[in-house]
Each structure stands twice: as structure tokens, then as C-alpha cells.
Amino acid sequence: MLNLPTFDDVSAAAARIEGYAHRTPVMRSRTADKDVGAELFFKCENLQRMGAFKFRGAFNAVSKFDERQRRAGVVAYSSGNHAQGIALAASILGIPATIVMPHDAPAAKVAATRGYGAKVVIYDRYTEDREAIGRKLAEEHGLTLIPPYDHPDVIAGQGTAAKELFEETGELDALFVCLGGGGLLSGSALSARALSPQCKIYGVEPAAGNDGQQSFRTGSIVHIETPKTIADGAQTQHLGNYTFEIIRRDVDDIVTATDDELVDCMRFFASRMKLVVEPTGCLGFAAVRAMKAELQGKRVGVLISGGNIDIDRFAALLAG
């Protein structure tokens, strides 16, 4: 039996990251409200330190290291946002960091990770196993491996974003959260069940990579090939053991969004709300738009997970 994190762990994480993580704003849009027919509350983790919610879980996990772990260092694998989160957290705490990143990760994310002082190890996400690479580095150099989502301290840290949202808005009727490996969704579910028990919780993943939806429907973790989608933060192949158990217990449903829907949302955020949101960060809003018939008159939370995207890539997607 797994020892699953609880809302008490989320509360402890909130205290641990206070003063280090930003308490990001909750933004509104009259245009979005009118379009959907609901009151929408956007939790803007694209304005978090290093540009994504991942800093929360990364800092919470690394800050709990003992002296031996701090001296030896941390290793992580990530397509970008967890990489930057671990690199920044380690830099703040004076801990060496090694990050395993795919060869096709956004250049801005790789540059930022190196900029925070981390050593970057490149691999091919379509032919190599990042988890195996991470484990080997940990074993060879005595590093502590912090995975991007399947870790109790990471999950608890990610749950602090939804905790802040509910503290600001009060209870909500529905909450939409992007889904890759499940760290943000499972952490958010812990907060939602404690602070807004009647809230419907929806995970949203790319239509090209709906392993979470398949897992949710079948009751066991489904593994897929790396999906081809512009939502690079959600190109995961499977949920984690911890995240899956929380998701199947606490989440109401998992839905999907297409790449075209994500681009439409990117365009809306940029033009109407003056926000740069990466494709993965648009998953929640894309699902809200698709489900607006069910959300009429509701109070709805949307977690915008991040805003880390190369500017040239951002411009090209919007122009296309």
C-alpha cells in the first residue's frame, strides 16, 4: 500500500515554500465569462517563478533534503518545467543539480535550466528511457532523484496552487487542471476535496496522448508511446503510482483537448488577457470551452500551468 500524501501535507508544503514561491494572481475575463456562460477564475501559474507551477513541488521536495543529500546533489528528468523548477530550487538552496532533458525540449527551457546553474544531460525521448537514465545517474553519483510528478513531496507542493485558488475564491462548482503525469491534478484534488468538497474535478490532457483518460476508464495505469502534441509539458507516457491512486479516488473525469483548441486558447489569452501561456497551460480552458453547455451559471476554476514557450514558436503557432 502506498502512503499517499494528504491535505495536511499540502498545508505543510505551503508553509515551506512561503517566501520563495509567488502567490500568483487569480485573474478574471468578462469576455471569457460571457463566452462560456459561467464565472471563470484563472489561477495564473504562468506568472510563477521560472514560469510554471513546477517550482512549488520542486522547492518543497528539495528543501526537505538532509545534509548528505544536499552535499551530493539532486537529479531530475523533465521536458522543461520540472527541470527549471528543480534547477532554481537547488540554486536557491545551494545544492548541485543535474537535469536529464530531451533533445527536442524548447530551447528557452534548456537555456533557463542551464542559467539556473544546473548540468543538463540530453537524451532522445523517442528512443531512450529518461527514468532509467535518471536512476543510473543517481546510483553512480549518490544523487537524490526527484521525479517530475510521482513523488509525495512533489504532489503536496503542486497542491498549493489550488489551495491558494480556493482560499481566494471560496468554494467552486468545477475545477479544470491540465494533466501530464498527474502531479498538479492529484495535488489539486487533495486541496479541492478539503476546501470545496462538492467541486467537480476534471483533468485535461492532449487528445493525442490520453493515457490518463484510458487509465481512469479502465482502473489501471495505461502506458502509451510518447504522444506527438504541441503540449510538450503533457507528453508523458503514463501516470504515476501515487498520482493515479489519488486521481481515481478524487477526480470526477478526465477529458481531452486538441492542438487546434490549444492554439485558439493561446490566442485568446494573449489578445484578451495579455498573458503568454504555453500550449500545455491552455488545456484546462480548452476543456471549459468545449463543455460550456454543462457549465452554465457555474463558478469554475482553471489552473493555467505555465508560460514557458520560445517566443518564435509562440508567434508561429498564433500566426498559423
Short mmCIF file of all heavy atoms in Angstrom, two decimals, residues 3 6 9 18 28 30 49 51 74 91-92 110 116 162 165 168 197 203 210 242 253 264 272 299 315:
data_model
loop_
_atom_site.label_atom_id
_atom_site.label_comp_id
_atom_site.label_asym_id
_atom_site.label_seq_id
_atom_site.Cartn_x
_atom_site.Cartn_y
_atom_site.Cartn_z
N ASN A 3 1.77 5.11 0.75
CA ASN A 3 1.44 6.10 1.77
C ASN A 3 1.16 7.42 1.05
O ASN A 3 2.06 8.22 0.81
CB ASN A 3 2.61 6.25 2.75
CG ASN A 3 2.27 7.15 3.92
OD1 ASN A 3 1.09 7.41 4.18
ND2 ASN A 3 3.29 7.62 4.61
N THR A 6 -1.56 13.78 1.89
CA THR A 6 -2.88 14.28 2.30
C THR A 6 -2.89 15.80 2.21
O THR A 6 -1.86 16.44 1.93
CB THR A 6 -3.20 13.87 3.74
OG1 THR A 6 -2.29 14.56 4.62
CG2 THR A 6 -3.03 12.36 3.93
N ASP A 9 -0.30 17.50 4.20
CA ASP A 9 0.99 17.63 3.53
C ASP A 9 1.02 18.85 2.62
O ASP A 9 2.04 19.52 2.48
CB ASP A 9 1.31 16.37 2.71
CG ASP A 9 1.48 15.15 3.59
OD1 ASP A 9 2.26 15.22 4.56
OD2 ASP A 9 0.83 14.12 3.31
N GLU A 18 6.51 29.25 1.37
CA GLU A 18 6.15 30.66 1.56
C GLU A 18 7.42 31.53 1.60
O GLU A 18 8.39 31.20 2.26
CB GLU A 18 5.36 30.84 2.86
CG GLU A 18 4.82 32.25 3.04
CD GLU A 18 3.93 32.39 4.25
OE1 GLU A 18 3.77 31.41 5.01
OE2 GLU A 18 3.38 33.49 4.44
N ARG A 28 -9.57 37.33 -13.91
CA ARG A 28 -10.92 37.18 -14.47
C ARG A 28 -10.94 37.76 -15.88
O ARG A 28 -10.09 38.57 -16.25
CB ARG A 28 -11.95 37.95 -13.62
CG ARG A 28 -12.00 37.58 -12.13
CD ARG A 28 -12.54 36.18 -11.90
NE ARG A 28 -13.79 35.94 -12.61
CZ ARG A 28 -15.00 36.35 -12.18
NH1 ARG A 28 -15.11 37.02 -11.04
NH2 ARG A 28 -16.09 36.07 -12.89
N ARG A 30 -14.20 39.16 -18.41
CA ARG A 30 -15.63 39.29 -18.71
C ARG A 30 -15.96 38.64 -20.05
O ARG A 30 -17.03 38.05 -20.22
CB ARG A 30 -16.03 40.77 -18.72
CG ARG A 30 -15.96 41.43 -17.36
CD ARG A 30 -16.21 42.93 -17.44
NE ARG A 30 -17.54 43.22 -17.96
CZ ARG A 30 -17.97 44.45 -18.24
NH1 ARG A 30 -17.16 45.48 -18.06
NH2 ARG A 30 -19.20 44.64 -18.69
N ARG A 49 7.41 31.77 -10.33
CA ARG A 49 8.86 31.78 -10.54
C ARG A 49 9.22 30.68 -11.53
O ARG A 49 8.65 29.59 -11.49
CB ARG A 49 9.62 31.56 -9.23
CG ARG A 49 9.52 32.73 -8.28
CD ARG A 49 10.40 32.55 -7.07
NE ARG A 49 11.82 32.73 -7.37
CZ ARG A 49 12.76 32.87 -6.43
NH1 ARG A 49 12.43 32.85 -5.15
NH2 ARG A 49 14.02 33.03 -6.77
N GLY A 51 8.27 30.45 -14.33
CA GLY A 51 7.23 30.40 -15.34
C GLY A 51 6.26 29.25 -15.29
O GLY A 51 5.51 29.03 -16.25
N VAL A 74 21.05 16.80 -6.44
CA VAL A 74 19.77 16.29 -6.91
C VAL A 74 19.84 15.99 -8.41
O VAL A 74 20.58 16.66 -9.14
CB VAL A 74 18.63 17.30 -6.63
CG1 VAL A 74 18.88 18.63 -7.34
CG2 VAL A 74 17.26 16.75 -7.00
N SER A 91 19.45 25.94 -6.87
CA SER A 91 20.29 27.13 -6.87
C SER A 91 20.04 27.96 -5.61
O SER A 91 20.99 28.42 -4.96
CB SER A 91 20.01 27.97 -8.12
OG SER A 91 20.73 29.18 -8.09
N ILE A 92 18.79 28.16 -5.27
CA ILE A 92 18.44 28.93 -4.08
C ILE A 92 19.00 28.29 -2.82
O ILE A 92 19.49 28.97 -1.91
CB ILE A 92 16.90 29.07 -3.97
CG1 ILE A 92 16.36 29.96 -5.09
CG2 ILE A 92 16.48 29.63 -2.60
CD1 ILE A 92 14.85 29.94 -5.23
N VAL A 110 15.67 24.79 -21.94
CA VAL A 110 17.03 24.28 -21.75
C VAL A 110 17.95 25.41 -21.29
O VAL A 110 18.74 25.25 -20.35
CB VAL A 110 17.56 23.63 -23.04
CG1 VAL A 110 19.00 23.17 -22.85
CG2 VAL A 110 16.68 22.45 -23.45
N TYR A 116 20.12 28.57 -14.46
CA TYR A 116 19.99 28.43 -13.01
C TYR A 116 21.15 27.65 -12.40
O TYR A 116 21.18 27.41 -11.20
CB TYR A 116 18.67 27.74 -12.65
CG TYR A 116 17.44 28.56 -12.97
CD1 TYR A 116 16.38 28.00 -13.66
CD2 TYR A 116 17.33 29.89 -12.58
CE1 TYR A 116 15.23 28.73 -13.95
CE2 TYR A 116 16.20 30.64 -12.87
CZ TYR A 116 15.15 30.06 -13.56
OH TYR A 116 14.03 30.79 -13.85
N ALA A 162 -3.80 25.15 -6.06
CA ALA A 162 -5.26 25.06 -5.89
C ALA A 162 -5.67 25.53 -4.50
O ALA A 162 -6.73 26.15 -4.34
CB ALA A 162 -5.73 23.64 -6.14
N LEU A 165 -5.97 29.13 -4.72
CA LEU A 165 -7.15 29.48 -5.52
C LEU A 165 -8.42 29.42 -4.67
O LEU A 165 -9.21 30.37 -4.66
CB LEU A 165 -7.26 28.52 -6.71
CG LEU A 165 -8.52 28.64 -7.57
CD1 LEU A 165 -8.59 30.01 -8.25
CD2 LEU A 165 -8.58 27.53 -8.62
N GLU A 168 -8.83 32.14 -2.13
CA GLU A 168 -9.20 33.44 -2.70
C GLU A 168 -10.64 33.47 -3.22
O GLU A 168 -11.33 34.48 -3.09
CB GLU A 168 -8.24 33.80 -3.84
CG GLU A 168 -8.47 35.19 -4.40
CD GLU A 168 -7.27 35.74 -5.15
OE1 GLU A 168 -6.13 35.30 -4.88
OE2 GLU A 168 -7.47 36.59 -6.01
N PRO A 197 -15.54 20.57 -1.08
CA PRO A 197 -15.84 19.15 -1.23
C PRO A 197 -16.80 18.79 -2.37
O PRO A 197 -16.70 17.70 -2.92
CB PRO A 197 -16.47 18.77 0.12
CG PRO A 197 -15.97 19.81 1.08
CD PRO A 197 -15.83 21.07 0.28
N GLY A 203 -9.53 16.49 -15.00
CA GLY A 203 -8.19 16.52 -15.58
C GLY A 203 -8.33 16.67 -17.09
O GLY A 203 -9.27 16.13 -17.68
N ASN A 210 -3.92 10.39 -24.54
CA ASN A 210 -4.93 10.30 -23.48
C ASN A 210 -4.73 9.08 -22.58
O ASN A 210 -5.68 8.40 -22.21
CB ASN A 210 -6.34 10.27 -24.09
CG ASN A 210 -6.64 8.96 -24.82
OD1 ASN A 210 -5.73 8.33 -25.34
ND2 ASN A 210 -7.90 8.57 -24.85
N TYR A 242 1.54 7.00 -7.37
CA TYR A 242 0.90 7.89 -6.39
C TYR A 242 -0.21 8.71 -7.06
O TYR A 242 -1.32 8.80 -6.54
CB TYR A 242 1.93 8.83 -5.77
CG TYR A 242 2.88 8.19 -4.81
CD1 TYR A 242 4.14 7.76 -5.22
CD2 TYR A 242 2.55 8.04 -3.47
CE1 TYR A 242 5.03 7.18 -4.34
CE2 TYR A 242 3.44 7.46 -2.57
CZ TYR A 242 4.68 7.03 -3.01
OH TYR A 242 5.55 6.45 -2.13
N ASP A 253 -13.62 13.25 -13.62
CA ASP A 253 -13.50 12.79 -15.00
C ASP A 253 -12.22 13.33 -15.62
O ASP A 253 -11.64 14.32 -15.13
CB ASP A 253 -14.70 13.23 -15.85
CG ASP A 253 -14.88 12.38 -17.11
OD1 ASP A 253 -14.17 11.38 -17.27
OD2 ASP A 253 -15.76 12.74 -17.93
N ASP A 264 -6.12 28.09 -30.17
CA ASP A 264 -7.20 29.07 -30.02
C ASP A 264 -7.17 29.70 -28.63
O ASP A 264 -7.38 30.91 -28.47
CB ASP A 264 -8.56 28.41 -30.26
CG ASP A 264 -8.83 28.15 -31.73
OD1 ASP A 264 -8.14 28.75 -32.58
OD2 ASP A 264 -9.72 27.33 -32.03
N ARG A 272 -6.77 38.89 -25.31
CA ARG A 272 -7.77 39.45 -24.42
C ARG A 272 -7.30 39.62 -22.98
O ARG A 272 -7.80 40.47 -22.26
CB ARG A 272 -9.04 38.57 -24.42
CG ARG A 272 -9.69 38.39 -25.79
CD ARG A 272 -9.89 39.72 -26.53
NE ARG A 272 -10.81 40.60 -25.82
CZ ARG A 272 -12.03 40.91 -26.23
NH1 ARG A 272 -12.49 40.39 -27.36
NH2 ARG A 272 -12.77 41.74 -25.53
N ARG A 299 -19.55 28.44 -11.08
CA ARG A 299 -18.30 29.10 -10.69
C ARG A 299 -17.19 28.09 -10.96
O ARG A 299 -17.15 27.03 -10.34
CB ARG A 299 -18.32 29.54 -9.23
CG ARG A 299 -19.48 30.46 -8.91
CD ARG A 299 -19.50 30.87 -7.44
NE ARG A 299 -18.49 31.89 -7.16
CZ ARG A 299 -17.42 31.71 -6.39
NH1 ARG A 299 -17.18 30.53 -5.83
NH2 ARG A 299 -16.56 32.71 -6.18
N ALA A 315 4.88 32.84 -31.58
CA ALA A 315 4.41 33.67 -32.71
C ALA A 315 3.98 32.80 -33.88
O ALA A 315 2.96 33.07 -34.53
CB ALA A 315 5.51 34.63 -33.12
#
